[in-house]
Every structure is written in C-alpha cells, then in structure tokens.
Amino acid sequence: MVEPFPRAFVIGYPVAHSLSPDLHGFWLRRYGIRGSYEKIEVPTENLEEFLKNLQTRNFVGGNVTIPHKEMTYQIVKNRNQSTTRLEAVNTLWVENNILMAGNTDSYGFAANMDDFVSGWRDAKTAMVLGAGGASRAVVLALINAGFEQIFIANRTTSRAIVLVDKMGSRCTAVDWDDIPTCLKQIQLLINTTSLGMKGQHSLEIDLSNLPKSAIVSDIVYNPLNTQLLEQARLLGLESVDGIGMLLHQAVPGFEKWFGLRPKVTDELRKFVLDRLSGDAM
Ligand code: ATR
C-alpha cells in the first residue's frame, strides 16, 4: 500500500493573506519533500470539530492564526510549558496519535535576534511596547534569555498591568507617556504594537534618549523598514527587523510535520519579502 503523504495546514478566519503556505511551500520544494501545506478557512463555530477530526484526514498538524490561537489553547490540552504561559497556540502536531499544541513565537523572536545581534542576550534591561499576544511571546523570550528588568508600555495601561501580573516579577508596567524617560535605562527596545504596519499610523517615539549601545527591534514586517527602525539607524543604533521572527517561528512546525529541520536562509527571506511586495501592488 502507498503511504499517504503528510498534509499540514494553516487555519484562521480569514486566512487568505497568510504567508505560511509560501514559506512552507518553499521548504517543501527546496528539500524535495512529498507533502502539502494548505490554507483552510475555519469559522470559529467549526474550530472544535476541525481539531477533533484532523487526524482522520491525514493531517499531521499545522499552524493556527487569528482569531483561533486562544480558543485552540482552550480545546487542545496537551501542550508544553511555554504554551501554557502564553495561553495561545500557533502550532499543532500529532505525536503517538495524540494532538499536541505549541507556541513557537518566543522561539521565533529569539532566533531572529540571535541571527542579527549575537550579544543581545547579554543585555539585562528591555522595554516592550504593546500588550497583546505578540508582546506576551516577546516578554517570555526575554525572560528565557535572562533579562532582569522588562518594562511593558501600552496605550491602554490596564492591559500592560494584566500582562505584568501574568509574566512575573521581572516585569514592570509603564505609562505610555513615560516612555521617553524610561528609554534612558534600557538596552533593548521592541515594538510589538501594530503601529508602523502598512495602513496604520507610525510609531511616533523619539529614540534620542536611548543609550548609544541600545538595540531596537520591530516585529512589524510589512513594511520591513518601519519608521522606528529608520530612526534607530539614523541614530547609529543597532536594529533588527521583523521578517525573521515570522520565518523562524515556522521552523519547529515544519520539522515536526515533515521530519527535517529547515534552514532560514537569505534566499527564503528574499522569497517571502518578494511575496509581500507583490501583495502590496
Ligand atoms: P497581537 O495579539 O498581534 O499582539 P493585539 O492584541 O491586537 O495584537 O495588540 C495590538 C497592540 O497594538 C496593542 O498593544 C494595542 O494597544 P491597546 O492595548 O491599547 O489597544 C497596540 N496598538 C494598536 N493601535 C495603537 C495605537 N494607535 N497606538 C498605540 N498602540 C496601539
């Protein structure tokens, strides 16, 4: 009998704009793997049924995107520690016939930082802008990397306070208006808000208070060169753009589904960026 080839997916609602099929399709072709990665639009009311039945459809797992990350976390109870801390799932896989849930966003953030600023883990103080799901993943990455003090600033301060309560004593909530003063004390600044994204306002923060040795990172990748990163470069600060987080967060899933750990290369980066600029036309 011919073995069925492994099928993976990304589920969301809507899911049309997901770049994951391009990314995983690139690796499937690059490594000559017989397998598929499909976009599947799943309305919220069908999510539980989809998750229950995926193994009978030969799916080996897949990615979960907006708006299903939190609900998938509630439904799939087999998960690792970092997923439990994030209370959101972006990757599913089957292990010994059991559906497993994980979150690779913290890994993706840290691996991207490792690629561009080898010494970033030596820094001890950071500020994270934003308090949504992406912020939480970045804060966890900073805790895992050994940061001692993490300031969290959000337009809605109450959300920053909730996040601080969840992430522990190394975190401190900061009022949005107090960002300029706080910049003096930090070695790494990360934007996780949607400000700076195509179609959104830019993030209007004066970075001149940052120490000269500070690193500025933006997880926005469309556009790749946000005004925040532009300003950081003009000030001579080290800067890290957001596309690598998207690429690296995909690595553990691909390895689990298709049995090979794929590489994040310049060629992949260029391929995905070309797809993005194509969408912009
Ligand atoms: P995600 O889960 O992707 O992080 P999210 O939960 O929608 O997305 O979070 C978006 C972040 O961008 C939030 O921190 C949001 O701030 P609020 O909590 O105050 O909404 C932030 N954000 C969005 N628009 C903003 C704006 N115009 N100014 C400042 N922050 C903004």
Side-chain angles (χ1 to χ4, degrees), residues 188-206:
L188 169 61
L189 174 72
I190 307 118
N191 174 44
T192 74
T193 73
S194 46
L195 291 173
M197 261 182 211
K198 200 173 110 188
Q200 303 273 342
H201 293 290
S202 55
L203 180 53
E204 309 271 347
I205 289 182
D206 180 356

Side-chain angles (χ1 to χ4, degrees), residues 142-193:
L142 297 176
I143 291 171
N144 291 340
F147 276 73
E148 286 162 8
Q149 185 154 38
I150 303 159
F151 297 105
I152 302 173
N154 195 49
R155 173 181 59 179
T156 314
T157 308
S158 58
R159 280 188 91 194
I161 293 170
V162 169
L163 188 55
V164 165
D165 285 346
K166 287 189 183 284
M167 301 311 282
S169 59
R170 289 194 240 165
C171 303
T172 309
V174 170
D175 275 332
W176 193 257
D177 292 340
D178 292 337
I179 294 173
T181 330
C182 200
L183 289 180
K184 289 179 192 147
Q185 329 170 35
I186 64 163
Q187 295 152 317
L188 169 61
L189 174 72
I190 307 118
N191 174 44
T192 74
T193 73

Side-chain angles (χ1 to χ4, degrees), residues 8-279:
F9 56 78
V10 53
I11 51 169
Y13 193 80
V15 77
H17 283 93
S18 172
L19 282 170
S20 295
D22 296 308
L23 174 49
H24 289 287
F26 176 95
W27 280 330
L28 285 170
R29 288 191 299 279
R30 164 64 69 247
Y31 297 112
I33 292 172
R34 207 167 152 267
S36 72
Y37 186 97
E38 304 159 37
K39 257 182 213 180
I40 307 177
E41 195 161 82
V42 179
T44 304
E45 61 272 25
N46 297 348
L47 179 63
E48 189 152 10
E49 200 195 329
F50 177 87
L51 295 172
K52 236 185 242 159
N53 295 330
L54 65 87
Q55 291 185 65
T56 58
R57 297 170 64 188
N58 286 336
F59 283 121
V60 290
N63 290 121
V64 181
T65 187
I66 294 163
H68 297 328
K69 291 180 169 197
E70 287 81 15
M71 195 165 155
T72 301
Y73 174 81
Q74 297 301 332
I75 298 170
V76 186
K77 301 292 183 196
N78 302 297
R79 54 217 179 194
N80 56 21
Q81 201 197 352
S82 69
T83 310
T84 305
R85 287 205 76 182
L86 297 178
E87 298 178 294
V89 165
N90 75 347
T91 306
L92 294 163
W93 68 99
V94 176
E95 219 171 278
N96 304 321
N97 285 325
I98 295 169
L99 184 61
M100 308 290 295
N103 192 313
T104 62
D105 283 337
S106 296
Y107 165 79
F109 172 78
N112 185 41
M113 291 297 293
D114 286 338
D115 268 358
F116 289 96
V117 189
S118 55
W120 76 279
R121 289 167 191 269
D122 299 335
K124 293 291 164 243
T125 309
M127 177 150 67
V128 179
L129 306 177
S135 165
R136 194 158 168 175
V138 167
V139 169
L140 181 60
L142 297 176
I143 291 171
N144 291 340
F147 276 73
E148 286 162 8
Q149 185 154 38
I150 303 159
F151 297 105
I152 302 173
N154 195 49
R155 173 181 59 179
T156 314
T157 308
S158 58
R159 280 188 91 194
I161 293 170
V162 169
L163 188 55
V164 165
D165 285 346
K166 287 189 183 284
M167 301 311 282
S169 59
R170 289 194 240 165
C171 303
T172 309
V174 170
D175 275 332
W176 193 257
D177 292 340
D178 292 337
I179 294 173
T181 330
C182 200
L183 289 180
K184 289 179 192 147
Q185 329 170 35
I186 64 163
Q187 295 152 317
L188 169 61
L189 174 72
I190 307 118
N191 174 44
T192 74
T193 73
S194 46
L195 291 173
M197 261 182 211
K198 200 173 110 188
Q200 303 273 342
H201 293 290
S202 55
L203 180 53
E204 309 271 347
I205 289 182
D206 180 356
L207 299 180
S208 50
N209 272 352
L210 278 172
K212 289 285 161 252
S213 58
I215 308 160
V216 178
S217 168
D218 199 333
I219 72 162
V220 169
Y221 57 79
N222 191 14
L224 192 62
N225 290 313
T226 59
Q227 278 195 25
L228 183 76
L229 294 182
E230 214 39 63
Q231 193 193 153
R233 283 178 203 128
L234 287 172
L235 287 167
L237 304 172
E238 226 152 350
S239 67
V240 181
D241 66 49
I243 193 71
M245 178 174 173
L246 174 78
L247 306 180
H248 280 287
Q249 63 76 35
V251 168
F254 188 96
E255 184 180 24
K256 287 192 186 297
W257 311 320
F258 303 116
L260 182 150
R261 193 165 182 88
K263 289 228 166 357
V264 171
T265 57
D266 287 345
E267 192 190 357
L268 173 68
R269 197 177 147 91
K270 184 176 179 314
F271 175 79
V272 173
L273 288 174
D274 284 349
R275 302 293 304 184
L276 266 179
S277 57
D279 282 351

